[in-house]
Amino acid sequence: MTDQPSAPRRGHRMLAAAAGLGVLGLPLAAPAPSPSPSASPLPAPPTGPDRGTVLYQQSCASCHGQRGEGTQRGPSLADVGPASVDFQLSTGRMPLSKEGKPNVHQDAVFSESDIRALVQHVASFPPGGGPPIPVVGGGSTPSGRELYLTYCSACHSAAGVGATLNNGRIAPSLFEATPTQIGEAVRVGPGLMPAFPPDVLSDEEVDDVAAYVGVLQDDRGELDRGGWPLGRLGPFTEGVVAWVFGLTIVLLLARRLGSRAR
Amino acid sequence: MSGTGPMSGQTGAVRRIRFAFAVTVLGAVGFAVSYGLGGNTQLLGLSLAVAFAGLAYGLAVWGRRLLPTGGFVEQKPELAASPQQRDLLAAATDGPESPLQRRGLVGMLLLGVGAIGVALLFPLRSLLSFRKPDPVTMLRHTAWEAGVRMVTPEGEPVRLTDIQAGTIQIVVPEGHTRDGDAPAFVVRLNPALLDRRPAAGDLGGVVAYSLLCTHAGCPVGLYEQTTGRMLCPCHQSAFDLYRDADPIAGPAARPLPGLPIDVDEAGFLRARGPFTAPPGAGFWSRP
Amino acid sequence: MITRRIYRALDARLGTTSIGRTALAKVFPDHWTFMFGEIALYAFMALLLTGTYLTLFFEPSTSETVYDGAYQPLDGSKVSSAFASTVALSFDVRAGLLIRQAHHWAALLFVAAIVVHMLRVFFTGAFRRPRELNWVVGVTMLALALLNGFTGYSMPDDLLSGTGLRIIYSTVLSIPVVGSWIATLAFGGEFPTPETTPRLYISHVLIVPGIFLALISVHLLMIIRQKHSQFPGPGRREHNVVGSRLWPAYAVRSVSLLTGVFAVVFALGGLVQINPVWIYGPFHPAKATSPAQPDWYVAWGDGALRLFPPIEFHVFGHLVPAPFLPAVGVGTVTFLLLYAWPWLERWRTGDKASHQILQRPRESPGRVAVGAYALTFFAVLLVTAADDIIARLTRIPVTGLLRTLQILVLVLPFVVAAVAFFTARALRAGTATSLGELTREDLHAGLSGRSIDRRPDDEPEERIRLWRNPDDTWRWRWYGPGEELSSNEAFLDRQEALDAAKTAFPGVRVEQDEPPEGVVLPPPQHKPGPATKAAAALVWVAMAVLGRRADRRTPSRSEASE
C-alpha cells in the first residue's frame, strides 16, 4: 500500500470533485493488502543500526524531543508503543508536512524499511511499553461483519466510507487501510478513535474485523453487485441521481413528445 | 410539421422506427440470454432498459412524424345541470314517498350506524397487546434494575477491568439483548477532569449512560475518546460526558440518562438501579 | 374479420361503441407539461409490477432465521426473516436484485414525478374551480406516496431503515397527549417489536396501494368528466379543448412515455446500486451507522429535525419534546396548507369563477412568490438532511454548517420569493416571453407594480364551417388567424355537429356547405322571445347569404371522414 501511490484513484477523485459530484466517486478497490511485512520480529534495517536514529533526528525530534519525551509542539512518544508509531508513519499521518495541518491518511513519507528502523528506534525510549504491532490476517468475515457493526460502523459507517465528527474532524474511510493498520488502529485508538484492548476485542476478533473490512474494500467487485455504488453514501446520493438522471431523462422525453415535429 | 404530405420525410422515419424496434428485439434477447447465463444484474438491467428504450424511441418517432399532431378541438359543455333538472333530482330523492321524509327514523338510523362505527373502533385497541403494560409505564421502565448484569450485544458479560481509558463498551441488560430502550455504554473518564459529577455516580471514572439520543432515539454510537464526547449519527447531537452527558450541540435538549453501576465479586459490571430518567426520545408523560 | 366479430359480440352485450368513439376522440392539450402526471402513473405501474414480483420472495417477519446463501459474510448468521429474504433477493434470486433496485428507483421517480406534476398544477392555477376536488385527491395521493415509500424503505429490517423507523417512532411519540398511545398502538408496543414488519408489509402491499388505486381512478375519472384545462392560445376557449386526439396521436406518445419510464427505471435498477442492505447489516437497537439519511422524499422531515434548535418545553407539567414542532408541525402545516390552497387563494383574490384556461405563472405573482418560498424552504431542509455528508466532503465543521443553514432557512425563502415575485410582475408588465428578454422598463414596472399599457388584442377574424361527409356524417372546422381546428369526431347528424360547434365556440358564426333541404338553423332550445326571434331571423338571413357567398368563393370541400 505504502509504496503504491494509487494515482488513478486520486485522479478519479479530483475529477469527481471538479464535477461537484465528489460524493458520487467510486470507492475503488484498494490494492490487495500485502501480508503485513512490518509485523514483528523486526529485521535490522538494511542501512545499518543508526538509520533509525538518523531519521528520527531529522524528522521527529524537533517536535517529539530527542528521546521522545515530547515538547510543546508534539506529544511524548515514550510509551505509545510500536503499533502507534507504525500506524502513524505507514498511513503517512506523520511526519506532518506542515504544523497544524490535520493529519490524515496519505502516502507514506518513509519506505517500509525506514519505518521499521524508526519503530525500532522509538521503541528503545524509556519506559517503553504500549501495544506491539499486531499480526493480522485470516479472519472470518461473518464474525467480522457482526463485530464491525457493533464497534466500528457508528463512526466509519456500515459501508466503510467514514463519517463526520465534531469540529470538522472526520472518521476516515477504511478503503485504503491494510489489515495491519486496522489492527494497529483498533489497539492504539489513534486521534479521536477509542482503543479496543485485547480484553474487549481478542486477537482473533481483530483478524475477523480486518477480514470484513477487506470485504468492504471490495477487491473482487462482488460487494457492489448492484452497480455504481455512488460512493456508498446512501439515500442522499440516490435521491440526487433519481432527480438528475432519472427524472430529467423522462422529462426530456416528455418535452420531445409534447412538441410537434418540425 | 414535416409529415403534411404523405411521403415527405416519412421513409426516413419509418426506417428509424424499424431500427428502434429491432433494437428492442435485440435487448429482449439479450435479457433472456443474460438471465440464462447467470443473471448479472448490470447486463439484465442494461438489456431490459435497451429493449424499453427502443420501444420508447420508435413510438416517439412514430407519434411525432407519422401521425397527425394537434389541430383538433373538442367541445366542453357546461357540467352543471339546469335548476329544473336539479329540482327533479331533489324531488326524486326527497319526495313524499322518500324514506328521507321520516326525519325521526333517519336520525335514529344515523345514530345506529354511528354506534356501530364507534363500537368497531374498540378492536383497534388490540393493536397493543393487553398483556403489555400501558404505554407510559412501558416507556418509563427498562430492564435495568439493581443487580442486572451488563453484557455486550453479543451476550458476553463485561468486567470492570475491560473498561480501560480510551475505550468504549456498549452494554445491554443480560437476557434483554434486543430491548429497544435498554442499550447503554460504559467508558472510563479521567476523574480529575470531570466538570460535573455524574448523577448516577461513577466507579473511579467509569460511568454508564443510556446509548439512546434524547432527541429522536438513535444510538449515539460515535465516541470521541480524547474529547469525551458522544455524537449521534442521525441528527448530529453531541453530548459531553465530562459534564454528565449534557447536550452541547445539535437538536437534543436533554442529557443522556445515567445508569448507576456496581461491580460484583467476580469483577463483572452490574446495574445498581434503573436509568436516572426514561431513556431515548421524550414523550408527553415523561416525568 | 375475426376482430370485428368479437367486437360485435362485445358491443351487443355492453354497448361499448358510443363510449369507445368518444374515448378515442378525446382531445389532449399539446403541451409537454401535461405529461407529468402520466410519468407518475407509469412509475406507479412499474412499482406494481416489480413489487408484485418481490412479494413472491420477501418474508415479512422478524422471526429469527439462519441466512444460508451466496453472501459469504452473512452466511450462517442468525438474522430476521425479513432481512435474510431481502439479502437472498439480492444475491440468491436470479434477477432479484434488478427487480428490487428497479422497484426502489421507481419509487424515487414516482414521488419526484408527483411533485413536478403538482408544481405544474400549482403555478398554472389548474387547481382553481372546477378542479379543487381533484387537487384534494392529488394532495392525498402525495401523502400516501410518502407513506408507502417510507414503509417500503423500512421493511427489510436493515440497520439504516431500523434507524429511520426509530426516528418516526420517536416523532409520533412526541405528539402531545396521545403520542405514546398512537406510537405504541401502531408499533404494537415499545420499539422495536415483532409486530412492526408484518404491519408495515400489509400496509405497503395492500392497504395503501389499494387506496391509491381507488384515488387514481377518481383522479382520472374527474379529468375525463371535466376534460383537460389548457393554456391560452388561438381558438382556446373556456368551453373547448384544443390539441391531439387520444387515438392515434396521443396513445402512441403515451406508450412511448410509458416505455421510456420503464427504460429509465430498469437502467437505474441494473446500473446504479440502491439501498445495499447487505452492507448496512441487520437492525439491532444498540448498533448504528453513519451517515444516516432517509430517502429524499421524507428527507425534508429529517432536515427539519436537524435544523430545529434544542427546544423542549412543558405544558401543564407535561413535556413537548423537540421533534414535535419540526417534524409533526412542519408536516401537518404543509399538508393543511396544500389542502386549503385553492380556497385560500379564492379568499385572497375573490376569484370564484370557473376556469378552463390556465394562467401562465407570471399572471399571478403572489402565487409565484408563495411557491418559490415553499420550494426554497424545502430545498434548504433537503440540503440540511445531508449536512453530515456535506461536512464530511468539505471538512466544514457540521455545527457551523448547521448554523448557516438555520439562518438560510429563515432568510433565503423570503429572498427567493421576493425575486420571483418581482420577476413575475416584470414579465407580466412587459412583452418578454422569457427571462432573457426582460427589458429595463419591464423590471422597473415589476418593481413599481405599475402596468405598461398594452393594446388590447384585436377581435380575431374567425368562423366555423360545417359540412356533410359523403358517408352522411357531419363535421365542422374552426378557422382563426393562423390556425385551423377540426372537430374531434364525426357527428351522426347535423344538429349534433352544430351544437358541438356552438358549445366550443359560442358566438362564432357558422357557415355551412351543402345545407340540407328545408333545415338551415337549429330550432331554438328555449321558447324565444320576440327580440330573440328578430335576432335569429337576422342571423338566419346573414348566414344564408354568407354561406352562399362562401359557396361561390370556394368550391365545396369534401373531407374524408375518419
Side-chain angles (χ1 to χ4, degrees):
Chain A
M1 178 64 231
T2 48
D3 48 3
Q4 295 187 32
S6 66
R9 182 203 305 249
R10 280 189 300 153
H12 181 97
R13 243 192 223 149
M14 284 162 70
L15 193 75
L21 284 170
V23 292
L24 304 178
L26 286 154
L28 295 180
S34 51
S36 53
S38 50
S40 51
L42 299 166
T47 51
D50 287 345
R51 180 83 177 145
T53 320
V54 172
L55 287 173
Y56 184 85
Q57 293 299 334
Q58 279 173 359
S59 308
C60 319
S62 60
C63 297
H64 293 293
Q66 293 298 318
R67 298 289 292 160
E69 67 276 8
T71 70
Q72 283 184 335
R73 300 168 64 194
S76 160
L77 300 179
D79 56 354
V80 293
S84 178
V85 179
D86 186 57
F87 178 84
Q88 296 288 346
L89 293 173
S90 69
T91 59
R93 286 179 164 82
M94 285 287 152
L96 288 178
S97 55
K98 207 167 69 186
E99 222 176 319
K101 203 170 164 261
N103 72 342
V104 292
H105 195 131
Q106 49 198 307
D107 299 334
V109 172
F110 299 111
S111 69
E112 278 180 37
S113 56
D114 286 354
I115 291 174
R116 259 174 283 161
L118 274 167
V119 167
Q120 222 167 31
H121 181 68
V122 174
S124 69
F125 298 153
I133 298 175
V135 184
V136 182
S140 121
T141 53
S143 151
R145 187 187 55 76
E146 285 184 24
L147 291 164
Y148 181 87
L149 290 175
T150 305
Y151 291 97
C152 319
S153 67
C155 297
H156 292 289
S157 139
V161 297
T164 186
L165 300 172
N166 245 345
N167 297 333
R169 288 169 297 209
I170 59 160
S173 101
L174 302 178
F175 294 138
E176 304 185 26
T178 65
T180 305
Q181 288 166 353
I182 291 162
E184 288 165 351
V186 166
R187 291 291 184 239
V188 170
L192 295 170
M193 176 173 161
F196 299 94
D199 295 334
V200 177
L201 282 176
S202 69
D203 285 350
E204 293 74 39
E205 289 176 326
V206 174
D207 290 345
D208 296 347
V209 169
Y212 182 65
V213 174
V215 171
L216 288 179
Q217 290 172 346
D218 197 20
D219 290 334
R220 284 173 294 174
E222 283 162 3
L223 196 66
D224 293 317
R225 67 198 319 268
W228 187 20
L230 303 176
R232 290 206 205 130
L233 287 173
F236 174 66
T237 41
E238 291 160 8
V240 171
V241 169
W243 276 91
V244 172
F245 290 106
L247 195 70
T248 306
I249 292 175
V250 179
L251 289 183
L252 287 176
L253 175 65
R255 183 103 179 76
R256 196 105 186 96
L257 287 170
S259 68
R260 295 192 196 180
R262 305 232 175 265
Chain B
M1 61 191 263
S2 64
T4 40
M7 291 309 291
S8 62
Q10 289 202 351
T11 39
V14 168
R15 205 178 306 128
R16 275 153 66 197
I17 297 168
R18 195 175 290 142
F19 175 75
F21 290 170
V23 167
T24 295
V25 173
L26 282 182
V29 170
F31 181 79
V33 170
S34 344
Y35 185 87
L37 291 179
N40 175 291
T41 304
Q42 281 71 56
L43 290 180
L44 285 175
L46 196 62
S47 51
L48 199 54
V50 164
F52 276 117
L55 282 187
Y57 179 76
L59 288 168
V61 175
W62 197 337
R64 295 179 74 242
R65 300 273 169 195
L66 302 186
L67 294 172
T69 308
F72 286 98
V73 58
E74 179 180 2
Q75 70 283 7
K76 193 187 281 178
E78 197 70 54
L79 287 178
S82 67
Q84 199 184 3
Q85 279 188 311
R86 281 203 294 270
D87 289 347
L88 285 174
L89 179 65
T93 50
D94 204 14
E97 316 99 83
S98 163
L100 298 182
Q101 282 298 340
R102 299 190 177 274
R103 306 281 184 220
L105 287 185
V106 170
M108 281 307 288
L109 177 67
L110 288 181
L111 196 64
V113 170
I116 291 179
V118 171
L120 288 181
L121 288 179
F122 274 71
L124 285 180
R125 171 62 182 81
S126 302
L127 286 172
L128 177 61
S129 164
F130 280 96
R131 283 181 302 176
K132 291 182 179 174
D134 75 284
V136 175
T137 310
M138 262 193 295
L139 290 169
R140 286 184 181 174
H141 180 82
T142 72
W144 291 113
E145 48 191 62
V148 172
R149 210 151 65 140
M150 296 178 158
V151 298
T152 67
E154 281 74 38
E156 300 290 322
V158 178
R159 291 171 190 277
L160 179 62
T161 51
D162 294 346
I163 312 300
Q164 301 185 358
T167 193
I168 179 173
Q169 180 64 59
I170 289 169
V171 292
V172 289
E174 190 165 33
H176 296 271
T177 50
R178 290 195 69 89
D179 273 18
D181 56 357
F185 64 90
V186 193
V187 293
R188 182 185 289 273
L189 304 174
N190 183 346
L193 298 179
L194 283 176
D195 273 357
R196 193 183 294 171
R197 301 237 52 98
D202 66 305
L203 287 177
V206 175
V207 291
Y209 287 96
S210 161
L211 185 69
L212 303 184
C213 185
T214 55
H215 174 234
C218 294
V220 284
L222 292 76
Y223 178 46
E224 294 185 356
Q225 56 107 345
T226 45
T227 59
R229 285 175 183 170
M230 292 297 285
L231 312 180
C232 178
C234 291
H235 306 117
Q236 286 74 49
S237 291
F239 300 88
D240 188 349
L241 299 184
Y242 283 99
R243 295 174 52 78
D244 201 15
D246 230 20
I248 51 168
R254 279 171 283 114
L256 298 172
L259 181 63
I261 52 173
D262 211 347
V263 61
D264 62 16
E265 305 83 44
F268 291 117
L269 286 174
R270 289 177 186 273
R272 204 156 34 76
F275 282 123
T276 53
F283 52 98
W284 179 250
S285 303
R286 189 182 186 280
Chain C
M1 293 256 287
I2 184 79
T3 45
R4 289 204 171 205
R5 282 201 7 226
I6 291 174
Y7 180 74
R8 211 178 307 137
L10 187 72
D11 189 38
R13 282 153 185 82
L14 294 172
T16 49
T17 298
S18 81
I19 296 174
R21 274 186 60 226
T22 315
L24 291 187
K26 177 172 168 52
V27 168
F28 289 77
D30 281 317
H31 197 275
W32 66 289
T33 59
F34 282 80
M35 293 183 170
F36 295 167
E38 255 176 87
I39 296 173
L41 179 67
Y42 299 145
F44 184 69
M45 284 173 61
L47 284 169
L48 283 186
L49 292 173
T50 52
T52 306
Y53 186 79
L54 295 177
T55 58
L56 305 177
F57 303 96
F58 179 69
E59 291 172 42
S61 157
T62 44
S63 63
E64 210 167 64
T65 184
V66 174
Y67 171 78
D68 175 23
Y71 182 51
Q72 211 272 324
L74 196 69
D75 197 24
S77 301
K78 275 196 267 180
V79 288
S80 71
S81 306
F83 185 74
S85 58
T86 311
V87 175
L89 255 171
S90 312
F91 277 80
D92 305 299
V93 177
R94 201 178 277 195
L97 184 57
L98 171 69
I99 304 295
R100 223 198 103 218
Q101 297 197 134
H103 188 74
H104 204 137
W105 283 116
L108 298 193
L109 275 184
F110 175 53
V111 189
I114 291 180
V115 169
V116 172
H117 175 55
M118 190 173 77
L119 291 176
R120 200 278 290 167
V121 168
F122 178 83
F123 282 112
T124 59
F127 55 81
R128 293 173 301 171
R129 187 174 172 172
R131 296 189 172 76
E132 313 97 315
L133 283 181
N134 234 4
W135 169 264
V136 167
V137 171
V139 172
T140 309
M141 286 201 281
L142 172 65
L144 289 178
L146 299 188
L147 174 66
N148 227 34
F150 188 80
T151 52
Y153 167 88
S154 303
M155 282 200 305
D157 197 34
D158 60 291
L159 193 49
L160 198 56
S161 72
T163 309
L165 216 45
R166 159 95 74 178
I167 296 172
I168 279 285
Y169 168 81
S170 299
T171 303
V172 178
L173 210 55
S174 75
I175 300 173
V177 187
V178 292
S180 50
W181 270 103
I182 298 180
T184 47
L185 278 174
F187 284 77
E190 201 177 3
F191 181 85
T193 60
E195 288 93 335
T196 309
T197 303
R199 287 181 189 178
L200 291 174
Y201 181 72
I202 198 66
S203 153
H204 183 81
V205 305
L206 181 72
I207 301 175
V208 176
I211 300 174
F212 209 97
L213 273 175
L215 289 180
I216 288 183
S217 312
V218 171
H219 206 65
L220 295 180
L221 282 174
M222 277 204 251
I223 291 174
I224 292 171
R225 184 74 179 148
Q226 298 182 328
K227 308 197 173 174
H228 276 76
S229 54
Q230 58 189 344
F231 282 110
R236 275 78 166 166
R237 300 292 153 82
E238 286 288 342
H239 286 97
N240 67 23
V241 199
V242 172
S244 304
R245 287 176 302 176
L246 172 65
W247 186 260
Y250 216 82
V252 171
R253 283 193 271 170
S254 263
V255 180
S256 169
L257 192 59
L258 166 75
T259 48
V261 169
F262 275 39
V264 167
V265 162
F266 284 112
L268 287 172
L271 300 178
V272 190
Q273 180 162 282
I274 189 165
N275 200 24
V277 291
W278 58 93
I279 295 179
Y280 301 142
F283 174 70
H284 187 286
K287 297 179 182 176
T289 178
S290 176
Q293 262 88 22
D295 277 341
W296 75 264
Y297 45 82
V298 281
W300 53 269
D302 204 53
L305 279 173
R306 290 170 194 229
L307 213 52
F308 200 70
I311 295 175
E312 294 191 336
F313 53 93
H314 285 80
V315 177
F316 307 121
H318 289 282
L319 179 72
V320 179
F324 177 65
L325 288 177
V328 184
V330 169
T332 311
V333 168
T334 303
F335 272 93
L336 284 182
L337 282 178
L338 280 176
Y339 275 121
W341 182 258
W343 291 275
L344 283 178
E345 195 185 282
R346 178 182 307 175
W347 167 72
R348 185 77 188 79
T349 61
D351 178 6
K352 294 190 175 116
S354 186
H355 294 280
Q356 302 291 343
I357 304 287
L358 298 177
Q359 291 173 309
R360 302 189 71 182
R362 65 187 62 168
E363 289 172 55
S364 180
R367 191 196 294 142
V368 168
V370 171
Y373 181 95
L375 278 181
T376 317
F377 179 76
F378 281 101
V380 175
L381 290 188
L382 283 182
V383 169
T384 310
D387 63 354
D388 51 337
I389 291 180
I390 295 167
R392 163 89 174 74
L393 296 173
T394 60
R395 295 294 185 96
I396 299 171
V398 73
T399 41
L401 190 64
L402 192 66
R403 181 51 49 93
T404 314
L405 288 164
Q406 281 172 336
I407 296 168
L408 278 184
V409 81
L410 295 177
V411 177
L412 196 61
F414 282 110
V415 174
V416 174
V419 170
F421 179 76
F422 290 116
T423 310
R425 278 219 306 211
L427 282 168
R428 187 179 61 173
T431 51
T433 52
S434 69
L435 286 180
E437 295 176 17
L438 276 178
T439 62
R440 184 179 296 256
E441 190 194 3
D442 292 341
L443 290 176
H444 193 71
L447 282 175
S448 65
R450 163 181 69 79
S451 62
I452 298 173
D453 283 339
R454 270 178 299 171
R455 268 189 323 127
D457 294 334
D458 292 329
E459 278 295 304
E461 280 288 323
E462 53 180 353
R463 63 203 166 89
I464 291 172
R465 282 167 51 105
L466 191 67
W467 74 89
R468 176 154 58 183
N469 287 314
D471 62 355
D472 258 2
T473 58
W474 288 80
R475 299 203 64 149
W476 51 272
R477 177 175 289 192
W478 175 87
Y479 297 86
E483 185 93 8
E484 292 182 15
L485 300 169
S486 303
S487 68
N488 66 322
E489 57 180 325
F491 298 89
L492 289 179
D493 64 58
R494 181 183 165 283
Q495 187 57 46
E496 230 184 301
L498 192 63
D499 284 347
K502 285 187 159 304
T503 305
F505 294 99
V508 177
R509 70 197 157 85
V510 179
E511 307 164 351
Q512 57 183 332
D513 303 335
E514 297 182 59
E517 295 252 350
V519 189
V520 179
L521 264 187
Q525 284 189 335
H526 305 288
K527 204 161 185 187
T532 321
K533 273 182 181 163
L538 276 175
V539 172
W540 187 87
V541 170
M543 279 182 57
V545 171
L546 286 170
R548 238 166 254 145
R549 275 175 57 193
D551 277 358
R552 253 178 278 136
R553 207 168 49 230
T554 56
S556 162
R557 263 187 211 213
S558 71
E559 193 98 356
S561 66
E562 303 293 320

